[in-house]
Amino acid sequence: MSDDGRNGDVPVDGGATAPNPEFSWLKPHPVFVIILVGPEEEPFGVQLDFLCARSAYYRQFFFENQQDQSIERIVRIPDTMPEMFGYVQNYMFTGQVFPNLDHMPSYEVLIGVWKLGHNLVIEGLCDATLEAMAECRRITQRIPATPLLVQVWQDTPEGSSIRKLLLSWAAEYMRSSESRAEFARSLPQEVLSELVVAMSSLDSPPVVQVNHQQPPVVAAQPLPRAGNVHHIVPDDDDAEEGPASKKQRRQTDVLPRPSASAAVKTAISKKPGPRASLPNLKPQVRRRGGAAAGNPANHTTAQKLNFCNDLLTRMLSGPGFWTRLVGPFKEPVDPVQDGVPDYFDKVTKPMDLGTMKAKMDRGEYTDEDEFLKDMNQIFSNCYTYWSKKDPMWAACEKLQKSFEDKYSNMSRWITKMEGDEDL
């Protein structure tokens, strides 16, 4: 029995079922199938016997079309991205959806791979794809965006394994998010109805929680390029999430994030003009009442660095309103790719958030002052290169203001995480 209750031998038009012969690479397999994928018909070549051994759909298809005895057979999958079929091909030959973390696909691609596994009846592929999606979530600390959730409901069978998985994720998110009402409004009624049922069946605490635990860190794996991940992000800039929590934005606003280079290029309307005076770069720690008014001097360096690490993780990983702020500052500036050939003539100490996260993961910050020095270096570099009339200047001011606002909550965050905050 293969994935989602479909058996391995599936008649295409209700006719006789094709036999499932044993397959061995010790035998010759001279006949190939050329699979033309996507609207551009990118060709993939697969041995006919091998394809039929792995796909019950094609086994039945070629069983019913035996009159063509040519060396090559041609089939078309016009509505599939070649990237998606590439991962299907990788699974058929290796038993793994993606070869390593450097080639981890996006949720959009994985959903397409699952659909191919289901439609072509490739045994084990649907289950393997769900495992890959779980790995993607573990590493990125994100779940698919609302449009992808809706797409799954439109394109997959009721009760399918991928629906159940995404239902459970959405239910966990709904239990953890402070913006659950907005998230609910973004969902069609039929999806929301299933989600309510799924939430009522959750007995254990949600996986996506607001707590003091840091998200998993994969030291050797850089954060994925922003354009490769789909997000659920709040539309309200002030609706920033707490430590390790999840937020969302309205369905119509959810788009893949641009890459850092694209964000820089978008901001570049013309060559920078004369430099303006730099804003104040020292975060102003604001005093608040209650638990937030704790004295930072009473906290240990380790606690302060834990706060800095959590704040930096939220800035980079989201989902949250940070997504729209950090784009141009997330990765090192590439003078050629980003269209700023004289950047290093004016900026002598480059810094970016990704570099800071790598330093944090390696334990290179000995106290919060070193962390602040690098953060202020990012702001200073931007104000040094750009002038006030440039969009990048305004983007940096907004990021700096948001950072300083969140940084001012250090004492409150530490007190809450230590469990001493008054309720």
Side-chain angles (χ1 to χ4, degrees):
M1 185 69 67
S2 63
D3 310 77
D4 293 302
R6 302 183 65 177
N7 57 44
D9 297 323
V10 181
V12 175
D13 296 316
T17 300
N20 186 7
E22 293 184 1
F23 177 84
S24 171
W25 283 116
L26 299 177
K27 300 177 181 179
H29 303 283
V31 180
F32 277 74
V33 177
I34 303 301
I35 305 174
L36 302 178
V37 182
E40 301 298 325
E41 296 194 338
E42 185 167 342
F44 287 78
V46 183
Q47 287 94 340
L48 174 61
D49 292 349
F50 177 73
L51 181 62
C52 290
R54 300 310 303 270
S55 167
Y57 172 86
Y58 280 121
R59 180 163 62 249
Q60 185 69 30
F61 176 84
F62 288 111
F63 175 75
E64 297 185 354
N65 294 271
Q66 298 185 42
Q67 68 277 7
D68 182 4
Q69 299 298 325
S70 61
I71 298 300
E72 288 185 355
R73 315 285 183 90
I74 297 178
V75 296
R76 290 174 171 82
I77 310 180
D79 298 328
T80 296
M81 295 167 49
E83 181 183 7
M84 294 175 180
F85 190 81
Y87 286 103
V88 172
Q89 178 177 252
N90 188 76
Y91 175 81
M92 288 194 297
F93 279 98
T94 69
Q96 297 179 327
V97 175
F98 57 93
N100 51 57
L101 294 180
D102 292 333
H103 296 86
M104 186 175 67
S106 67
Y107 282 127
E108 181 181 18
V109 170
L110 288 171
I111 290 171
V113 171
W114 187 96
K115 289 162 57 179
L116 281 172
H118 177 80
N119 294 335
L120 301 182
V121 199
I122 300 175
E123 185 175 358
L125 178 54
C126 288
D127 292 338
T129 303
L130 298 186
E131 293 176 1
M133 291 178 67
E135 182 71 359
C136 182
R137 174 182 172 175
R138 184 186 71 81
I139 292 176
T140 66
Q141 290 293 293
R142 301 177 177 96
I143 65 174
T146 303
L148 286 180
L149 296 176
V150 175
Q151 176 189 329
V152 168
W153 259 256
Q154 295 172 342
D155 299 344
T156 63
E158 183 178 356
S160 60
S161 59
I162 194 169
R163 278 198 185 190
K164 293 178 181 178
L165 176 68
L166 295 186
L167 263 180
S168 67
W169 287 3
E172 293 168 7
Y173 172 76
M174 283 283 284
R175 292 183 62 185
S176 303
S177 172
E178 296 176 358
S179 303
R180 58 180 61 88
E182 184 179 359
F183 179 47
R185 287 194 298 268
S186 73
L187 297 173
Q189 184 59 45
E190 62 272 18
V191 179
L192 185 59
S193 298
E194 289 192 51
L195 181 57
V196 171
V197 174
M199 289 182 64
S200 65
S201 65
L202 287 180
D203 297 326
S204 58
V207 174
V208 184
Q209 300 183 53
V210 180
N211 57 30
H212 65 281
Q213 296 179 352
Q214 298 294 326
V217 175
V218 182
Q221 172 67 9
L223 289 170
R225 286 275 179 177
N228 292 335
V229 182
H230 294 248
H231 309 275
I232 298 176
V233 186
D235 192 57
D236 183 359
D237 281 358
D238 294 329
E240 202 269 330
E241 72 274 21
S245 69
K246 302 290 181 184
K247 292 291 182 179
Q248 77 292 329
R249 91 195 253 191
R250 283 190 285 272
Q251 176 181 351
T252 54
D253 293 336
V254 180
L255 294 172
R257 285 187 297 178
S259 66
S261 60
V264 172
K265 290 178 181 178
T266 300
I268 299 174
S269 58
K270 50 190 173 180
K271 188 174 179 64
R275 305 290 177 265
S277 58
L278 303 186
N280 177 25
L281 300 179
K282 183 178 181 180
Q284 301 297 316
V285 181
R286 286 174 277 179
R287 295 291 181 182
R288 301 189 183 187
N295 186 352
N298 295 332
H299 304 307
T300 66
T301 298
Q303 289 174 323
K304 295 175 184 178
L305 284 177
N306 283 339
F307 166 80
C308 294
N309 186 30
D310 179 86
L311 177 56
L312 183 59
T313 298
R314 282 184 279 142
M315 292 175 71
L316 282 167
S317 300
F321 84 108
W322 289 113
T323 302
R324 297 187 296 280
L325 298 179
V326 305
F329 311 98
K330 189 173 181 180
E331 299 169 348
V333 172
D334 185 322
V336 176
Q337 185 178 359
D338 297 333
V340 287
D342 60 341
Y343 184 81
F344 291 127
D345 294 337
K346 299 177 174 65
V347 174
T348 59
K349 294 181 179 180
M351 183 53 62
D352 62 275
L353 295 172
T355 298
M356 290 183 62
K357 188 64 172 69
K359 291 179 64 175
M360 180 69 75
D361 292 343
R362 293 193 299 265
E364 294 183 13
Y365 291 119
T366 60
D367 56 39
E368 74 279 9
D369 290 335
E370 293 183 359
F371 171 83
L372 278 178
K373 181 178 179 182
D374 278 352
M375 187 65 69
N376 284 330
Q377 189 68 54
I378 294 176
F379 304 144
S380 177
N381 290 345
C382 184
Y383 297 133
T384 297
Y385 187 80
W386 303 97
S387 64
K388 278 189 174 181
K389 59 185 178 181
D390 293 309
M392 282 293 294
W393 180 287
C396 188
E397 284 188 321
K398 190 170 184 180
L399 176 63
Q400 182 184 354
K401 180 180 182 300
S402 298
F403 170 77
E404 292 176 358
D405 179 68
K406 303 307 175 186
Y407 190 84
S408 69
N409 291 324
M410 176 188 288
S411 293
R412 181 174 184 171
W413 185 95
I414 293 175
T415 303
K416 183 176 181 180
M417 293 305 101
E418 294 296 321
D420 298 328
E421 184 177 33
D422 294 333
L423 299 178

